[in-house]
Amino acid sequence: MRLGAYTACLHDRPLDESLKILAELGLTSAEINAGGFVGTPHLPIGDLLASAGAREDYLGRFTQAGITLTGLNVNGNPLNPDPLVGPKHAQDLRRAIEVAAALGVKRVVAMSGLPGGHPGATAANWIVYPWDSQYLDVLDHQWAIAVPFWADIQARAAAADVKVCIEMHPHNLVFNPPTLQRLVEQTNATHVGAEMDPSHLFWQGIDPVAAIEHLGSLVFHAAAKDTRINAENVRRYGVLDDRFTRTPADRNPLNLGGRNTLNQWPADAAWQFVAVGRGHGEEFWVPFLRALHAVDPDMAVNIEHEDAELDQIEGLRQAAQNLIAAGRKAGI
């Protein structure tokens, strides 16, 4: 099992410097952006697709740093009905599979995406609690869009011998184990499965270890990101806390595609993403790694740093230290 990091948090640094940072932290794996929400700061896609020499040189930079390239990440919304977002993110996913195959990388991380709620919609619509039949009508419409798209992705991934690993992320059709299984079953997928990111499962009340045991061989890849549940705030606001605010234009909000930008969390959030070990200790991370190892001893587990309380390096350092310690204790 390789423990590493997803380099999106180092997007403003050159690739070689980013790999050096990972190696100095004792990590041996890297996951690199291939499009979607973040773009391609560390992946010269055109050069890599055009030249075998460029691919050899690129992979050589990882070898020199003592790091293995274990995945490409193209998280976005490939089903977004916004014409400025969905088609681009969908093409990014198709292209990421092509680049991964060219590089010999066997894992591409993605999100399932989320369509609009009706024909002609221009905004995605996440149905959380379909108690009224009209909401099941929306879901039927959305799955009718998703299944043909993902059947095509399955075919491309199988032909390329690349596995697409879906992050079970709220605000997507696939956000928990049952929806992941539904997509796999309805597309007869062999090369579409789960990226096990516990952070999104924690706040839904899902036990990630139980989810791994339930999904079994459908777990292809994993992320190491923690969530802290702020109990006093949950008592007041619940986990479905919508008190987000727009990021002012003068603070350069992160563009998510088209006109869409990343909003700001409430100051007293009910829950928040934190570095590994700052939400859950070894009592979680040790059995988590053991459960992943039982599915696939060669699985990569890559840190995703989104802890707003820690800077780039300190967040990675704490996460790496805690993840490596848990790995030693787990005997992997």
Side-chain angles (χ1 to χ4, degrees):
M1 180 170 279
R2 290 190 176 273
L3 306 181
Y6 168 38
T7 64
C9 63
L10 300 172
H11 63 90
D12 57 344
R13 297 169 185 255
L15 174 62
D16 292 335
E17 181 183 348
S18 299
L19 297 179
K20 182 172 183 288
I21 290 169
L22 301 194
E24 289 173 345
L25 293 174
L27 301 171
T28 61
S29 165
E31 186 176 313
I32 305 296
N33 265 103
F37 291 137
V38 177
T40 59
H42 293 149
L43 192 73
I45 288 179
D47 293 343
L48 295 174
L49 288 177
S51 166
R55 294 192 290 275
E56 183 178 352
D57 290 346
Y58 184 75
L59 292 172
R61 295 161 73 180
F62 289 82
T63 301
Q64 185 173 6
I67 301 291
T68 299
L69 177 57
T70 56
L72 302 183
N73 189 304
V74 66
N75 275 337
N77 185 354
L79 302 180
N80 196 323
D82 183 337
L84 298 178
V85 181
K88 180 184 182 304
H89 287 186
Q91 180 56 26
D92 286 350
L93 175 53
R94 290 187 285 264
R95 185 179 60 177
I97 294 170
E98 183 181 359
V99 177
L103 289 170
V105 175
K106 298 300 183 181
R107 299 291 186 268
V108 169
V109 178
M111 293 175 184
S112 69
L114 182 66
H118 57 84
T122 58
N125 185 355
W126 187 41
I127 299 299
V128 181
Y129 183 46
W131 66 274
D132 184 323
S133 63
Q134 67 178 310
Y135 303 130
L136 287 179
D137 293 341
V138 170
L139 284 172
D140 288 345
H141 167 73
Q142 292 177 319
W143 280 97
I145 292 171
V147 169
F149 175 83
W150 279 98
D152 175 69
I153 294 299
Q154 151 64 25
R156 292 170 184 268
D161 191 25
V162 170
K163 290 190 173 180
V164 179
C165 316
I166 294 180
E167 182 176 353
M168 294 178 286
H169 194 301
H171 294 280
N172 283 265
L173 268 186
V174 172
F175 61 92
N176 61 13
T179 50
L180 187 282
Q181 289 174 301
R182 178 176 178 177
L183 184 67
V184 169
E185 290 167 0
Q186 293 195 12
T187 58
N188 296 313
T190 57
H191 286 66
V192 175
E195 186 227 24
M196 182 56 62
D197 182 341
S199 66
H200 304 294
L201 304 185
F202 283 135
W203 69 264
Q204 296 183 66
I206 299 170
D207 177 353
V209 174
I212 295 167
E213 293 169 347
H214 178 72
L215 291 172
S217 61
L218 286 179
V219 179
F220 296 159
H221 194 72
K225 188 171 71 170
D226 211 340
T227 296
R228 182 172 65 214
I229 306 296
N230 299 318
E232 285 301 310
N233 295 339
V234 169
R235 287 175 61 194
R236 299 183 183 93
Y237 313 126
V239 296
L240 297 178
D241 184 4
D242 69 348
R243 295 170 302 119
F244 285 69
T245 56
R246 299 180 191 278
T247 304
D250 60 5
R251 293 185 58 184
N252 298 314
L254 176 66
N255 183 270
L256 299 176
R259 299 174 295 273
N260 307 322
T261 57
L262 185 66
N263 292 326
Q264 293 181 301
W265 286 65
D268 55 343
W271 55 269
Q272 61 202 102
F273 298 130
V274 292
V276 171
R278 281 172 36 86
H280 298 77
E282 285 187 350
E283 74 282 352
F284 165 74
W285 290 101
V286 171
F288 177 73
L289 292 176
R290 284 177 177 155
L292 292 171
H293 188 269
V295 172
D296 179 3
D298 296 324
M299 190 177 299
V301 184
N302 293 323
I303 293 164
E304 183 176 6
H305 171 35
E306 292 186 4
D307 191 327
E309 296 174 346
L310 301 173
D311 67 22
Q312 291 170 305
I313 304 303
E314 181 58 21
L316 275 176
R317 186 192 67 77
Q318 289 194 29
Q321 183 179 46
N322 292 330
L323 187 65
I324 291 169
R328 289 195 186 113
K329 195 163 185 178
I332 60 149

